[in-house]
């Protein structure tokens, strides 16, 4: 009775050795009838058998043994698939070798199932196989290429990272035990790169260290397969990985399309509405609902003095050019001070500070904005003079009060607007502005926290108003 158990390395080594010897004899008998590629695969099997003997004698690591057994099985399967039907005797020898290596792998993995059912089909993908052993890279490439996949290989971690940088890889098959840069470091770099982190990584290793497996999964590996790998299981994992990558790619395309659409919407509607109103509409589902609420705001009305008479002496193109130059400059200044442009009424501008977003310095920003607008008139008039157009002067009125702010109109057409008595008061103040003047109401003056020079206090008797309105002229802002 033998003293060896079925799990003994000596016993399964003996069985594998016998199967290889039998295969060598059958190959010698039928070698002349075999194509060169089959002869090359046979030579690889014999070379791997010698390597396995050396590894057993030197007590090599479990990882090395699994690599060698996996490669032997892979070449035997390839050879059986290529010439088995034409060489029945050689096919029987290959079958015995496959059974011997399967038993060897099962013994080395404590009885794990090592059967090899036919390879299942998967959606073709672009696969990167990373392994420092040439025979492992070749076998994986040949297995997967037969299923329609495009396979590239890398012999080192650095080579794998270069391949990822140059190609859109669907799945990475990664060996752990590699010199220089091991698989764990490659995995870490893949998952740390924003362009690669969504690429599924399947670790294939001869190591069955549970702590190492957990560490790989926690580092971002999508799966972990043991060598010698089962082709059906590998194909299933690759298929799942490709599907995940496809979903991610589609989601990324949708996200980019949504970003482009939002930029287009913001750019388009930003020509008609302030940035804050566009943001309010895009980011809040209720942003388009009709209705409003009571807000304290500072209202600005600006108007070109004598524009009607000026435009009567100019052609339409000149009027439009002059008006667009003025309105373009004023728009930039108002938006820079976070004002909301309600509308352009011919040459007049109606803007509000404090809606849709309220800030503590609404009144101060409105005043500083008005001063910046008047200061910009010099540049506008310089450009007008160069174009043969007349100089312009503007009057600006500011008033603070409670208005109803919100979406006003109908379901078919509405706008974000403002309604209330302070709007009328601002219009009446603007009627009294002379060219170059900024007039602010008492209600605005008391809200200011900055230091300004005020002059020319007036009491206005405005038509349509029951009481006088006290206004001041703003001269300058004294910083500090």
């Amino acid at each position: 009775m033998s003293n060896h158990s079925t799990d003994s390395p000596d016993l399964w080594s003996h069985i594998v050795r016998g199967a290889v010897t039998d295969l060598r004899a059958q190959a010698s008998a039928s070698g002349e009838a075999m194509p060169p590629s089959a002869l090359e695969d046979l030579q690889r099997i014999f070379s791997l058998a010698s390597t396995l003997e050396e590894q057993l004698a030197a007590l090599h690591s479990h990882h090395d043994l699994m690599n060698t057994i996996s490669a032997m099985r892979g070449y035997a399967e390839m050879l059986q698939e290529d010439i088995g039907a034409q060489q029945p005797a050689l096919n029987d020898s290959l079958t015995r070798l496959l059974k011997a290596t399967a038993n060897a792998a099962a013994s080395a993995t404590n009885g794990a199932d090592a059967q090899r059912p036919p390879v299942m089909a998967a959606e073709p993908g672009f696969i990167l196989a990373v392994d420092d052993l040439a025979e492992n890279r070749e076998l994986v490439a040949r297995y997967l290429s037969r299923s329609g996949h495009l396979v590239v290989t890398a012999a080192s971690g650095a080579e794998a990272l270069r391949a990822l940088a140059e190609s859109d890889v669907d799945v990475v098959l990664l060996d752990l035990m590699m010199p220089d840069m091991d698989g764990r470091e490659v995995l870490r770099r893949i998952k740390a790169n924003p362009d690669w982190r969504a690429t599924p990584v399947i670790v294939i290793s001869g190591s069955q260290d549970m702590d190492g497996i957990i560490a790989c999964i926690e580092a971002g590996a999508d799966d972990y397969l043991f060598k010698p790998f089962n082709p059906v299981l590998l194909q299933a994992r690759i298929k799942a990985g490709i599907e995940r990558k496809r979903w991610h790619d589609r989601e990324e395309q949708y996200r980019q399309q949504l970003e482009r659409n939002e930029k287009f919407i913001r750019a388009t509607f930003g020509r008609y509405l302030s940035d804050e109103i566009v943001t309010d509409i895009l980011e809040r589902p209720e942003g388009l609902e009709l209705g409003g609420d009571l807000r304290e705001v500072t209202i600005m009305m600006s108007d070109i003095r004598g524009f009607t008479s000026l435009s009567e002496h100019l052609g339409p193109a000149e009027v439009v050019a002059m008006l667009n130059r003025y309105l373009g400059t004023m728009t930039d200044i108002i938006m820079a001070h976070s004002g909301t442009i309600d509308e352009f009424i011919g040459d007049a501008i109606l803007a509000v500070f404090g809606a849709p977003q309220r800030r503590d310095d609404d009144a101060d920003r409105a005043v500083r904005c008005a001063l910046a607008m008047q200061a910009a008139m010099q540049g506008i008039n310089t450009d007008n003079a160069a174009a043969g157009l007349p100089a312009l002067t503007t009057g600006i009125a500011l008033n603070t009060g409670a208005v109803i702010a919100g979406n006003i109109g109908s379901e078919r057409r509405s706008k974000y607007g403002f309604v209330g008595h302070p709007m009328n008061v601002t219009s009446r103040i603007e009627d009294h502005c002379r060219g170059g003047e900024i007039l602010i109401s008492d209600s605005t003056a008391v809200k200011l926290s900055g230091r300004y020079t005020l002059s020319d206090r007036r009491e206005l008797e405005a038509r349509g108003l029951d009481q006088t309105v006290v206004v001041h002229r703003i001269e300058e802002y004294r910083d500090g």
Side-chain angles (χ1 to χ4, degrees):
M1 182 179 295
S2 172
N3 294 325
H4 296 290
S5 70
T6 56
D7 290 338
S8 167
D10 293 337
L11 179 59
W12 58 254
S13 174
H14 174 75
I15 294 172
V16 170
R17 189 184 306 114
V20 171
T21 301
D22 178 57
L23 178 63
R24 193 185 297 273
Q26 292 297 335
S28 177
S30 56
E32 295 182 357
M34 284 190 290
S37 61
L39 290 173
E40 290 175 3
D41 284 349
L42 274 171
Q43 187 55 47
R44 291 188 180 99
I45 291 172
F46 299 148
S47 176
L48 287 165
S50 298
T51 300
L52 182 61
E53 293 284 348
E54 294 170 2
Q55 289 173 341
L56 285 168
L59 299 177
H60 273 228
S61 70
H62 182 275
H63 173 82
D64 293 338
L65 292 173
M66 289 299 99
N67 266 328
T68 304
I69 293 172
S70 177
M72 287 182 66
R73 292 177 63 188
Y75 283 117
E77 286 178 342
M78 292 285 184
L79 194 56
Q80 190 177 51
E81 186 175 323
D82 289 339
I83 66 169
Q86 290 78 31
Q87 302 281 348
L90 189 64
N91 184 68
D92 291 342
S93 295
L94 288 168
T95 300
R96 283 192 288 275
L97 177 61
L98 285 170
K99 184 175 181 180
T101 54
N103 289 335
S107 297
T109 55
N110 297 319
D113 182 15
Q115 295 301 313
R116 294 270 184 135
V119 176
M120 65 186 292
E123 179 186 358
F126 188 23
I127 314 299
L128 171 61
V130 188
D131 200 305
D132 61 315
L133 297 181
E135 58 267 23
N136 286 348
R137 295 195 301 274
E138 183 190 9
L139 279 170
V140 168
R142 287 172 65 176
Y143 269 130
L144 299 180
S145 296
R146 291 185 178 191
S147 298
H149 298 296
L150 176 62
V151 184
V152 294
T153 62
S156 67
E159 190 177 335
L161 297 178
R162 285 195 297 271
L164 281 165
E166 296 169 359
S167 308
D168 184 16
V169 174
D170 291 318
V171 177
V172 177
L173 305 180
L174 180 62
D175 184 37
L176 283 186
M177 309 296 288
M178 295 187 295
D180 299 326
M181 185 189 303
D182 68 8
R184 292 178 180 84
E185 176 61 17
V186 176
L187 175 62
R188 187 192 68 78
R189 296 194 186 189
I190 290 174
K191 295 306 178 180
N193 189 306
D195 295 329
W196 306 339
R197 65 167 58 111
T199 304
V201 177
I202 300 174
V203 174
I204 301 178
S205 175
S207 173
Q208 298 191 41
D209 172 49
M210 186 56 64
D211 290 339
I213 296 171
I214 293 172
C216 287
I217 298 298
E218 290 178 343
D222 294 78
D223 217 322
Y224 195 109
L225 297 180
F226 300 123
K227 293 179 180 178
F229 60 82
N230 183 312
V232 174
L233 187 58
L234 177 63
Q235 284 282 18
R237 297 294 193 263
I238 288 175
K239 180 179 180 181
I242 290 173
E243 289 177 352
R244 285 197 299 274
K245 183 65 161 50
R246 296 285 188 269
W247 273 109
H248 173 269
D249 291 346
R250 282 194 289 268
E251 288 175 357
E252 182 65 16
Q253 291 174 357
Y254 295 152
R255 185 187 64 78
Q256 293 176 359
Q257 182 63 46
L258 287 173
E259 286 183 354
R260 288 194 294 268
N261 290 344
E262 183 173 338
K263 287 180 180 178
F264 172 77
I265 291 171
R266 287 183 182 277
T268 301
F269 284 94
R271 300 179 64 185
Y272 304 97
L273 302 169
S274 73
D275 288 343
E276 288 183 347
I277 295 174
V278 174
T279 299
D280 198 52
I281 291 172
L282 292 177
E283 296 183 359
R284 294 194 308 118
E286 65 273 20
L288 288 172
E289 293 179 2
L290 294 177
D293 54 6
L294 198 63
R295 298 283 189 94
E296 183 178 83
V297 299
T298 296
I299 306 150
M300 169 191 288
M301 287 191 179
S302 173
D303 189 35
I304 298 175
R305 304 293 90 176
F307 182 77
T308 300
S309 59
L310 286 173
S311 62
E312 289 176 352
H313 300 89
L314 300 171
E318 293 174 312
V319 172
V320 171
M322 183 172 62
L323 194 55
N324 285 346
R325 180 181 295 116
Y326 164 74
L327 293 176
T329 302
M330 297 300 113
T331 296
D332 290 343
I333 294 172
I334 293 170
M335 288 188 168
H337 287 80
S338 300
T340 298
I341 298 176
D342 182 53
E343 58 184 329
F344 299 125
I345 310 169
D347 61 301
I349 302 172
L350 172 60
V352 171
F353 296 78
Q357 185 173 345
R358 180 191 173 279
R359 297 176 176 87
D360 292 336
D361 64 341
D362 288 330
D364 284 274
R365 282 184 295 102
V367 171
R368 290 197 295 272
C369 179
L371 289 167
M373 290 166 67
Q374 290 291 18
M377 291 306 299
Q378 182 177 350
I380 290 173
N381 285 328
T382 298
D383 292 340
N384 282 348
L389 298 172
L392 304 176
T393 61
T394 60
I396 303 176
L398 298 172
N399 179 43
T400 301
V403 300
I404 297 173
N407 294 321
I408 300 169
S410 69
E411 293 294 338
R412 290 179 59 85
R413 182 174 176 83
S414 63
K415 61 164 287 185
Y416 189 88
F418 308 90
V419 176
H421 181 65
M423 306 295 291
N424 298 327
V425 173
T426 310
S427 177
R428 300 297 179 263
I429 296 173
E430 192 270 329
D431 289 340
H432 288 79
C433 288
R434 294 186 287 267
E437 269 192 338
I438 303 172
L439 296 182
I440 69 171
S441 67
D442 231 10
S443 61
T444 298
V446 298
K447 293 291 182 179
L448 299 178
S449 57
R451 299 175 63 189
Y452 304 89
T453 300
L454 306 182
S455 66
D456 193 15
R457 181 181 184 279
R458 309 178 201 170
E459 292 187 3
L460 303 181
E461 296 283 348
R463 59 183 175 82
L465 301 180
D466 297 334
Q467 56 189 17
T468 60
V469 179
V470 176
V471 298
H472 310 267
R473 190 168 77 182
I474 288 281
E475 301 290 346
E476 62 178 347
Y477 170 60
R478 305 195 306 276
D479 190 8

